[in-house]
């Protein structure tokens, strides 16, 4: 199966100033594209040649896992943003957030702390566990919580390439700003 | 009577100075660099130096000094901490050691090719200097995520190219670090963006083999 870079659901300058056009040109146009290209180069002749992306992520390791998971993670990441974001979760997702974290504000600060304390490259994830409850999970490098039987709901990329052009070493500032472009209507559909 | 009080006061002052100095030894500080922050341009820009040395390395040192208070590592030297700690203390100690070695190996007027026993050893193991450089760059490209590629010396003087993740340093594998290249994205993103390979091939222009030879000879 040949994987393709998905279209962004917004223009490359649509998330400014939270994420600059230049960052999207590299993050989507170079990093995300490279993971897609690498994956397509790595799977011919392996058992994953005709597998779907989730299966590859759950069953592979090494270079195939790294590139497959990064393709999935970035698609999921870019998809949750919108220039019309900055709304708040409602309904069942809000209830689940309140149940697990006490309030939306406590959830946000706990999630930012998870991102800030991920040492090196990685991702912070909001996930739904087997009991249907929400949890926050930290993953290194290409890590994706679906390998632990958890369902990804929402994520922040804390690789330095996600923010270095716009925020340099200030990862906490970047994560605090990101809430302004999160579209919770999209996140609610995942829950 | 009054004149006797003056020497007594200076004795107290002397104790104070000694006490302050010995306290200072237990905390780590940013090493002075033998070059200006713009001296490595265009290989490493002044802006990258300001952030990488002035913010990232300073941040690791500040964190380390806070974290060791009240622990077994409060009076330990940096290499002992890196060898014996784990978690946040290891991460910040490792990054302090790694960046100290990294920044102190560069020069605006470097010795570009090693000589003597180190050069002989490289030729013996890799055939020629270019083959060594290519294998070192490939190792740097092969580190997925944040980390380091090292040229290290084993117990019996052999050389090894070692890949390490995050704060890793070959001292934890009983090898001596000689040359360290930082492949965290913060090391090159402002100057090379996603093109790590270009950054790695440019770095040879500022690596001072005088420094690496000294480390090998130690
Ligand atoms: Fe990313
Ligand atoms: Fe660094």
């Amino acid at each position: 199966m040949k994987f393709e870079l998905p279209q962004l659901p917004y223009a490359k300058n649509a998330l400014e100033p939270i994420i600059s056009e230049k960052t999207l040109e590299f993050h989507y146009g170079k990093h995300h594209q490279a993971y897609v290209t690498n994956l397509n180069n790595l799977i011919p002749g392996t058992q994953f040649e005709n597998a779907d992306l989730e299966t590859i992520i759950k069953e592979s390791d090494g270079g195939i896992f790294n590139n497959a998971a990064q393709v999935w993670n970035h698609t999921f990441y870019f998809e949750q943003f919108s220039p019309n974001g900055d709304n708040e979760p409602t309904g069942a997702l809000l209830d689940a957030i309140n149940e697990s974290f006490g309030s939306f504000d406590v959830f946000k600060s706990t999630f930012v702390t998870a991102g800030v304390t991920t040492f090196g490259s990685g991702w912070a994830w909001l996930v739904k566990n087997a009991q249907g409850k929400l949890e926050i999970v930290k993953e290194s490098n290409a890590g994706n919580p679906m390998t632990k039987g958890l369902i990804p709901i929402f994520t922040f990329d804390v690789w330095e390439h996600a923010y270095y052009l716009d925020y340099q070493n200030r990862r906490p500032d970047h994560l605090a700003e990101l809430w302004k472009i999160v579209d919770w209507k999209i996140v609610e559909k995942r829950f | 009577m009054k004149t006797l009080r003056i020497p007594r006061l200076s004795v107290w002052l002397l104790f104070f100075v000694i006490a302050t100095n010995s306290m200072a030894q237990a905390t780590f500080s940013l090493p002075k660099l033998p070059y200006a922050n713009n001296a490595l341009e265009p290989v490493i820009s002044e802006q990258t130096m300001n952030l990488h040395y002035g913010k990232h390395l300073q941040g690791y040192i500040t964190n380390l000094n806070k974290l060791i208070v009240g622990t077994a590592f409060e009076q330990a030297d940096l290499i002992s901490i890196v060898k014996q700690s784990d978690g946040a203390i290891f991460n910040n100690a490792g990054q302090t050691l790694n960046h100290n070695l990294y920044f102190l190996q560069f020069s605006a007027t470097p010795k570009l090719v090693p000589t003597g026993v180190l050069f002989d050893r490289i030729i013996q193991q890799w055939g020629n200097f270019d083959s060594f450089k290519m294998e070192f760059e490939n190792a740097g490209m092969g580190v997925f995520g944040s980390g380091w590629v090292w040229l290290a010396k084993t117990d019996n003087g052999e050389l090894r190219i070692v890949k390490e993740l995050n704060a890793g340093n070959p001292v934890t594998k009983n090898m001596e670090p000689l040359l360290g290249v930082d492949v965290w994205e913060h090391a090159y993103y402002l100057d090379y963006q996603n093109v790590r390979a270009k950054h790695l091939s440019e770095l040879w222009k500022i690596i001072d083999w005088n420094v690496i030879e000294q480390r090998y000879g130690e």
Side-chain angles (χ1 to χ4, degrees):
Chain A
M1 190 188 298
K2 195 98 176 137
F3 294 101
E4 283 177 15
L5 187 67
Q7 289 285 315
L8 278 185
Y10 40 77
K12 284 208 187 82
N13 64 358
L15 305 181
E16 294 204 330
I18 315 298
I19 298 176
S20 69
E21 180 171 12
K22 191 174 180 198
T23 290
L24 271 183
E25 276 168 6
F26 284 104
H27 200 184
Y28 169 76
K30 301 288 184 186
H31 291 277
H32 198 180
Q33 177 65 67
Y35 295 127
V36 171
T37 305
N38 292 342
L39 180 62
N40 285 331
N41 289 335
L42 286 167
I43 54 175
T46 74
Q47 64 182 108
F48 303 111
E49 191 157 4
N50 294 300
D52 63 82
L53 198 52
E54 282 81 0
T55 305
I56 301 177
I57 292 168
K58 285 176 184 165
E59 296 177 7
S60 67
D61 56 17
I64 293 181
F65 170 79
N66 287 340
N67 287 284
Q70 286 294 75
V71 170
W72 197 99
N73 296 351
H74 283 90
T75 301
F76 195 75
Y77 172 79
F78 289 126
E79 201 176 70
Q80 72 198 359
F81 297 129
S82 159
N84 312 312
D86 205 13
N87 43 25
E88 292 197 357
T90 55
L93 178 58
L94 181 64
D95 293 344
I97 286 172
N98 287 335
E99 192 193 337
S100 289
F101 307 103
S103 72
F104 183 53
D105 281 343
V106 173
F107 157 70
K108 286 200 290 184
S109 69
T110 311
F111 197 77
V112 166
T113 301
V116 169
T117 56
T118 300
F119 187 75
S121 301
W123 300 78
W125 296 90
L126 176 67
V127 300
K128 187 161 78 171
N129 65 23
Q131 290 74 44
K133 300 262 192 300
L134 294 175
E135 292 174 30
I136 293 170
V137 175
K138 298 197 275 187
E139 294 278 355
S140 287
N141 292 337
N144 183 302
M146 73 170 76
T147 60
K148 300 172 173 128
L150 301 164
I151 299 165
I153 302 294
F154 171 73
T155 193
F156 280 172
D157 185 347
V158 295
W159 284 60
E160 288 170 321
H161 64 230
Y163 58 87
Y164 216 80
L165 296 177
D166 299 335
Y167 300 84
Q168 295 82 48
N169 60 312
R170 292 172 289 110
R171 186 191 289 184
D173 292 355
H174 169 65
L175 299 185
E177 287 293 297
L178 276 184
W179 300 115
K180 296 178 184 167
I181 52 169
V182 174
D183 190 341
W184 287 95
K185 290 192 190 71
I186 296 163
V187 182
E188 280 168 17
K189 284 182 202 146
R190 295 168 175 172
F191 182 73
Chain B
M1 291 289 275
K2 271 184 183 174
T3 49
L4 278 177
R5 288 199 148 192
I6 294 158
R8 274 183 197 165
L9 215 162
S10 52
V11 168
W12 279 112
L13 268 173
L14 189 64
F15 276 126
F16 178 71
V17 169
I18 290 167
T20 316
N21 273 347
S22 61
M23 277 165 66
Q25 281 172 357
T27 62
F28 299 99
S29 55
L30 200 59
K32 273 280 203 204
L33 296 185
Y35 49 83
N37 276 14
N38 66 356
L40 306 181
E41 293 200 335
V43 179
I44 298 176
S45 70
E46 181 173 14
Q47 193 191 3
T48 292
M49 283 299 303
N50 289 344
L51 289 159
H52 198 184
Y53 169 76
K55 301 288 184 184
H56 291 275
L57 175 52
Q58 181 63 68
Y60 295 126
I61 292 169
T62 303
N63 290 342
L64 179 61
N65 286 332
K66 282 184 194 153
L67 286 165
I68 55 175
V69 173
T71 74
F73 303 110
E74 198 159 3
Q75 305 296 328
D77 65 275
L78 191 54
I79 287 177
S80 303
I81 301 178
V82 173
K83 283 183 171 175
Q84 293 163 26
S85 65
D86 56 16
I89 292 182
F90 172 79
N91 286 340
N92 286 285
Q95 287 293 74
T96 299
L97 175 63
N98 295 348
H99 285 89
N100 287 354
L101 290 163
Y102 176 78
F103 286 117
L104 292 172
Q105 76 200 355
F106 297 132
S107 164
T109 53
K111 177 177 179 179
L112 289 170
V113 179
T115 54
V117 284
L118 178 58
F119 184 75
D120 293 345
R121 179 56 85 168
I122 289 172
I123 300 308
Q124 190 186 331
Q125 292 190 224
W126 282 278
N128 60 64
F129 189 52
D130 281 344
S131 297
F132 157 73
K133 289 201 288 187
M134 194 185 299
E135 191 179 322
F136 192 85
E137 288 177 39
N138 287 340
M141 291 305 294
V143 177
F144 185 76
S146 300
W148 295 78
V149 55
W150 296 94
L151 176 66
K153 183 175 123 180
T154 66
D155 280 350
N156 54 14
E158 283 179 23
L159 299 173
R160 292 276 184 280
I161 292 172
V162 182
K163 296 194 279 185
E164 294 279 354
L165 292 179
N166 291 339
N169 185 295
V171 291
T172 61
K173 303 175 168 100
N174 284 320
M175 288 186 255
E176 275 182 55
L178 306 176
L179 166 69
V181 169
D182 188 345
V183 295
W184 285 58
E185 289 170 322
H186 65 232
Y188 58 88
Y189 215 80
L190 296 179
D191 301 335
Y192 301 85
Q193 294 81 46
N194 59 312
V195 195
R196 184 192 288 183
K198 176 77 173 158
H199 172 65
L200 296 181
S201 65
E202 287 293 297
L203 276 182
W204 301 114
K205 295 178 182 168
I206 54 167
I207 291 168
D208 188 353
W209 285 89
N210 281 316
V211 177
I212 314 305
E213 284 167 12
Q214 277 163 24
R215 290 173 183 171
Y216 183 74
E218 269 168 23

